[in-house]
Amino acid sequence: MQVYDRQIAVTNQGDISPAQLKVIRLPGSWYAVIWENAERYASFSQNPPSDSEGFEHMSDSDFLGRVQLVASFTQGIDFEFEEGV
């Protein structure tokens, strides 16, 4: 299991809003939360198809890019990582 805790900037809600991304990466799935404040947060996850390799083979950068893509596609949340990813 890996845990990622990154500062992000949500870019599609009008003004750019600072937020926090927390991701738990398991061998075959992952779970993430984007947190702006107690009233504005979203959680989402992904399990790969049974014939897939899962997420273990992905580098940290590729994996976090996948999380970013899923957030945009499933939640309509676009964000950029702060420096240091």
Side-chain angles (χ1 to χ4, degrees), residues 9-74:
V10 177
T11 59
N12 67 325
Q13 303 295 322
D15 294 333
I16 295 175
S17 303
Q20 188 168 8
L21 170 70
K22 290 194 178 233
V23 184
I24 297 174
R25 181 180 181 179
L26 302 168
S29 64
W30 57 265
Y31 176 81
V33 175
I34 293 176
W35 180 272
E36 285 187 56
N37 59 53
E39 290 81 37
R40 290 182 58 92
Y41 64 90
S43 62
F44 50 102
S45 62
Q46 187 174 41
N47 295 313
S50 59
D51 60 346
S52 172
E53 296 178 47
F55 306 104
E56 289 182 296
H57 68 285
M58 300 176 91
S59 69
D60 287 345
S61 180
D62 288 344
F63 173 74
L64 290 171
R66 171 68 160 228
V67 171
Q68 191 176 27
L69 177 69
V70 172
S72 179
F73 185 73
T74 65

